[in-house]
Amino acid sequence: MLRSSAITQGVQRSPNRAMLRAVGFGDDDFNKPIIGIANGYSTITPCNIGLNDLAKEAEKAIKEKGGMPQTFGTITVSDGISMGTEGMKYSLVSREVIADSIETACNAQSMDGVIAIGGCDKNMPGAMIAMARMNIPAIFVYGGTIKPGKLKGKDLTVVSAFEAVGQLTSGQISEQELLEVEKHCIPGAGSCGGMFTANTMSAAIEAMGLSLPFSSTMAAEDEEKSKNAKKSAEVLLKAIEQNICPRDLLTKQAFENAISVVMAVGGSTNAVLHLLAIAKSAGIDLSIDDFEKIRQKVPVICDLKPSGKYVTVDLHNAGGIPQVMKILLSEGLIHGNCRTIENRTIEETLHNIPLGASTTQNVIRPIKSPIYKKGHLAILKGNIALEGSVAKISGIKNPVLTGPAKIFESEEDCLKAILGKEIAAGDVVVIRNEGPVGGPGMREMLAPTSAIVGQGLGEKVALITDGRFSGGTYGLVVGHVAPEAAVGGNIALIRDGDSITVDANQKLIQLNIDNNELLRRRKNWIKPQAKYTSGVLGKYARLVSSSSQGALTDQA
C-alpha cells in the first residue's frame, strides 16, 4: 500500500484530491506513487546553480515511468562565501534545517519516496539524515563537482584563493597575482573541485549505495550528470515497487564501507561528523573510535587536493569511486555483501570494474604503494579531548609536535595574529569557543589554516580547535575537540604558554600539566554567556549534541 493513498483514495479524501488536481493530477494519477523531489537549487553558490536542470530531468523521468512528482525547495548556504565571517556559524546549522525541511515536506504530504538533489557541503548529509529518519524509498543525486580553474598551467581550486592570502602576507606573491588567482580559481558551476567536503560526502553516499555508481565524481557541467538524474529517478520508482528503504541499506557494514572509501580518497574531516550524525539518525551504533580502527587498515591511495596533486574530475576519469572500491574489495577492506538502491550487492555492482587502476594515470595508486600506509583522519584523545578529536594529517611528514599554546577565543582573532606574523614555528595554536554550542555552529577554520600554509608554516605549526575544518584544510590540524570549551571541556582551561603535545602516531592530544593544576583551573572556570539567545543560532545552541555524537539537534 502506498503512503500517499492516505490522501488520494476514497470519497472522504475529495478535498485532498481537489488540491492535487490544482497542481496537475488527473483522474488516472491518484493511484500512482507520489515522489518528492527535494530541490536544493539556488543562485547563492556555484555548487547549486545547476540543480534545477537536474530536478527537471528527474521530474520528467518520474512522469514517464508512472509516478507523480512533487517538487519542493530546500535551502543552502555557501561555506566558501561565508568562510571567515559570522555567517559561517549558520553552515552546520543548515544541515539540520535541510534535514528538517525534507522530513517535514515528505511526511506532511505522505510521499511514497524522495529524490534529493544537492550540491553544497551540507545538502548531502542533511538529505541523508532526513532519509534515515523517514525511512521511505530514497535516492540522492549529486549536483556534481566543479572543473578546475587554470592559471599558468596549474590547476586551481577555491582553496588556492585562501592560501594566496597567506602567500601575499609573507611576500611570496603580489596583490595582482592574488587577484589573478581569485579570478581563475572557480570557473563555473559545481561543488569545490578537490576532495573537499562535498566530494567526500558524495563519495561516501555512493559507497553506502544510496546514489548510483560513478555519480559522485561527475562534473556538474557534463551531460552525463543530466543522464544520472534521469536514471536515478527510474531506479527510485523500482525501489518503491520493491520497498527498498534507506535503513535496509544503511547498515553498520555500509558505514564501514563509507569510512574506508573516505580514508582511501583522502577525504574531509567533516565526514566524521556527518557519518556519525547519519548513523545516529538511522539507529546504527557507530562511534568515533570506528574511524580509528578503519584508519589503521585502510591506506590513502588517491593523490587528490587539498594536499595532493589532482582534482575530482581527474579521479572520475581514472575510474571514480567504483575503481577505488574494487581495489578495496580485492583486499578485503570493504564489505561486498552490502546492498544498494539498485537491489544489487556491492560485489555485483563492481563485477565489471577492472581489478587494478589504469597504469596510464597517477590519481589512484596501487594499494601496495599508497600515498600513506594508513588513513589520514586520526582520532586523538587525551586530557584536552576526553571524548575525542579529529586530526587531518595528510600533507605532513611528521605528525608530532610539542610546543607552547597560543590561545584565541575566536577565529577572527587567530587570523589577525597569523596575518600579523605573530605565529612562529613550533607553536600550538588553540582556537576555542567555536564548537557546536560555543560558536554556536562550529565554524570551519579554513582561513587560519590556509594562511598558515600560505606562510610556509604548514609543517611547523599545530592548530587545535573545538570548531571544524574545511575539506580544503590540510596540515597538522586537530578539530572537533570534545567536550568543547563552552560546556566546560578541558580546552577551556588551557593558558597561553602551556605545553601541548599533538602526536598522531600515539593518537594523543595532551595538555602537559599535572592533574592537580587542571583541577584548580576547573574550580575557577566560569561558563561563558551564550552569544545568541534567540533565533536559529540560539535555538541550535540549546539543542545541539556534542561533536563526538555528530552534533545533531533532534537527539541532544
Side-chain angles (χ1 to χ4, degrees), residues 41-212:
Y41 165 74
S42 79
T43 60
I44 289 175
T45 170
C47 313
N48 290 45
I49 200 168
L51 300 188
N52 210 39
D53 293 336
L54 301 183
K56 289 177 180 178
E57 287 291 334
E59 182 181 46
K60 181 180 177 182
I62 289 167
K63 286 181 178 178
E64 289 175 350
K65 294 297 181 178
M68 288 303 293
Q70 288 195 311
T71 301
F72 60 93
T74 66
I75 68 153
T76 198
V77 298
S78 172
D79 292 0
I81 294 172
S82 61
M83 196 74 71
T85 74
E86 194 77 357
M88 188 64 196
K89 293 182 177 182
Y90 289 86
S91 170
L92 189 58
V93 176
S94 76
R95 185 191 74 180
E96 305 301 293
V97 176
I98 292 164
D100 292 349
S101 68
I102 294 174
E103 177 190 357
T104 299
C106 289
N107 283 347
Q109 306 308 128
S110 300
M111 294 177 185
D112 298 299
V114 62
I115 179 169
I117 305 174
C120 204
D121 292 5
K122 307 311 174 296
N123 300 172
M124 283 160 275
M128 292 291 288
I129 288 168
M131 292 174 184
R133 289 181 190 169
M134 297 184 299
N135 201 35
I136 61 174
I139 194 168
F140 185 81
V141 174
Y142 180 37
T145 185
I146 203 167
K147 293 182 178 180
K150 299 284 187 179
L151 184 63
K152 296 180 180 178
K154 292 184 178 181
D155 287 346
L156 300 181
T157 69
V158 65
V159 176
S160 305
F162 284 93
E163 291 181 359
V165 174
Q167 291 167 347
L168 176 68
T169 61
S170 61
Q172 298 176 53
I173 63 173
S174 66
E175 287 273 6
Q176 183 58 40
E177 288 172 307
L178 172 62
L179 183 61
E180 289 302 309
V181 171
E182 176 191 318
K183 288 180 176 180
H184 290 88
C185 66
I186 303 177
S191 298
C192 298
M195 190 48 66
F196 309 150
T197 301
N199 287 322
T200 298
M201 291 311 301
S202 68
I205 294 170
E206 182 178 327
M208 290 190 289
L210 274 157
S211 63
L212 298 185

Side-chain angles (χ1 to χ4, degrees), residues 158-411:
V158 65
V159 176
S160 305
F162 284 93
E163 291 181 359
V165 174
Q167 291 167 347
L168 176 68
T169 61
S170 61
Q172 298 176 53
I173 63 173
S174 66
E175 287 273 6
Q176 183 58 40
E177 288 172 307
L178 172 62
L179 183 61
E180 289 302 309
V181 171
E182 176 191 318
K183 288 180 176 180
H184 290 88
C185 66
I186 303 177
S191 298
C192 298
M195 190 48 66
F196 309 150
T197 301
N199 287 322
T200 298
M201 291 311 301
S202 68
I205 294 170
E206 182 178 327
M208 290 190 289
L210 274 157
S211 63
L212 298 185
F214 298 102
S215 65
S216 67
T217 52
M218 292 175 179
E221 297 179 311
D222 285 352
E223 178 62 26
E224 64 180 345
K225 183 42 71 177
S226 294
K227 294 178 180 178
N228 169 245
K230 180 178 184 293
K231 184 179 179 184
S232 295
E234 296 169 353
V235 168
L236 177 60
L237 283 164
K238 290 181 181 178
I240 292 172
E241 292 176 6
Q242 298 168 336
N243 195 31
I244 301 172
C245 296
R247 292 196 184 194
D248 299 326
L249 310 178
L250 294 174
T251 63
K252 178 68 177 284
Q253 288 187 333
F255 281 98
E256 290 173 346
N257 284 352
I259 296 169
S260 293
V261 167
V262 168
M263 294 294 179
V265 300
S268 167
T269 53
N270 284 310
V272 179
L273 190 76
H274 297 325
L275 289 173
L276 287 171
I278 298 164
K280 190 81 170 175
S281 298
I284 298 299
D285 183 21
L286 187 73
S287 79
I288 198 169
D289 296 322
D290 289 313
F291 290 81
E292 182 60 33
K293 291 175 186 175
I294 292 172
R295 182 182 85 88
Q296 295 293 330
K297 298 184 293 183
V298 179
V300 179
I301 60 173
C302 296
D303 190 8
L304 296 167
K305 290 181 181 294
S307 60
K309 297 178 183 177
Y310 299 99
V311 293
T312 304
V313 291
D314 297 320
L315 174 61
H316 188 65
N317 294 333
I321 296 304
Q323 183 66 77
V324 173
M325 292 183 71
K326 185 61 175 271
I327 293 170
L328 296 178
L329 180 65
S330 71
E331 297 292 324
L333 296 174
I334 61 171
H335 306 285
N337 61 326
C338 292
R339 302 197 73 80
T340 75
I341 190 66
E342 295 182 282
N343 201 22
R344 294 190 292 171
T345 65
I346 293 293
E347 189 168 9
E348 290 169 343
T349 300
L350 300 176
H351 177 72
N352 293 323
I353 303 298
L355 179 56
S358 168
T359 56
T360 62
Q361 57 80 43
N362 296 310
V363 185
I364 306 173
R365 296 276 191 90
I367 202 158
K368 301 302 182 186
S369 56
I371 309 294
Y372 306 105
K373 293 181 180 180
K374 294 182 180 180
H376 63 301
L377 300 180
I379 305 303
L380 310 189
K381 293 186 177 182
N383 62 4
I384 293 177
L386 298 175
E387 293 177 11
S389 61
V390 184
K392 188 174 186 180
I393 56 176
S394 52
I396 56 174
K397 297 174 183 175
N398 183 26
V400 179
L401 191 148
T402 295
K406 292 259 181 100
I407 307 294
F408 300 96
E409 304 295 343
S410 72
E411 178 187 7

Side-chain angles (χ1 to χ4, degrees), residues 328-537:
L328 296 178
L329 180 65
S330 71
E331 297 292 324
L333 296 174
I334 61 171
H335 306 285
N337 61 326
C338 292
R339 302 197 73 80
T340 75
I341 190 66
E342 295 182 282
N343 201 22
R344 294 190 292 171
T345 65
I346 293 293
E347 189 168 9
E348 290 169 343
T349 300
L350 300 176
H351 177 72
N352 293 323
I353 303 298
L355 179 56
S358 168
T359 56
T360 62
Q361 57 80 43
N362 296 310
V363 185
I364 306 173
R365 296 276 191 90
I367 202 158
K368 301 302 182 186
S369 56
I371 309 294
Y372 306 105
K373 293 181 180 180
K374 294 182 180 180
H376 63 301
L377 300 180
I379 305 303
L380 310 189
K381 293 186 177 182
N383 62 4
I384 293 177
L386 298 175
E387 293 177 11
S389 61
V390 184
K392 188 174 186 180
I393 56 176
S394 52
I396 56 174
K397 297 174 183 175
N398 183 26
V400 179
L401 191 148
T402 295
K406 292 259 181 100
I407 307 294
F408 300 96
E409 304 295 343
S410 72
E411 178 187 7
E412 288 87 350
D413 288 346
C414 179
L415 182 60
K416 182 178 178 181
I418 295 168
L419 297 180
K421 300 183 180 179
E422 297 173 23
I423 304 302
D427 287 342
V428 178
V429 176
V430 179
I431 308 176
R432 63 190 180 194
N433 290 304
E434 289 283 9
V437 174
M442 208 178 177
R443 285 193 289 183
E444 293 179 349
M445 305 292 138
L446 179 59
T449 58
S450 295
I452 287 171
V453 170
Q455 290 186 355
L457 294 172
E459 293 264 4
K460 303 168 185 175
V461 167
L463 189 150
I464 69 174
T465 180
D466 49 11
R468 296 183 295 132
F469 295 115
S470 163
T473 293
Y474 63 100
L476 187 52
V477 295
V478 186
H480 309 194
V481 169
E484 61 174 292
V487 300
N490 286 341
I491 189 173
L493 309 181
I494 304 171
R495 295 177 181 172
D496 271 315
D498 281 347
S499 172
I500 292 176
T501 295
V502 177
D503 187 338
N505 294 333
Q506 299 298 319
K507 297 176 285 185
L508 179 69
I509 178 170
Q510 186 78 19
L511 174 60
N512 299 315
I513 63 174
D514 64 50
N515 288 334
N516 289 332
E517 173 61 19
L518 200 59
L519 289 172
R520 280 194 293 271
R521 293 184 187 183
R522 174 157 300 286
K523 288 180 181 178
N524 294 323
W525 177 75
I526 299 173
K527 183 179 177 63
Q529 288 187 338
K531 297 172 185 174
Y532 293 83
T533 56
S534 62
V536 171
L537 292 180

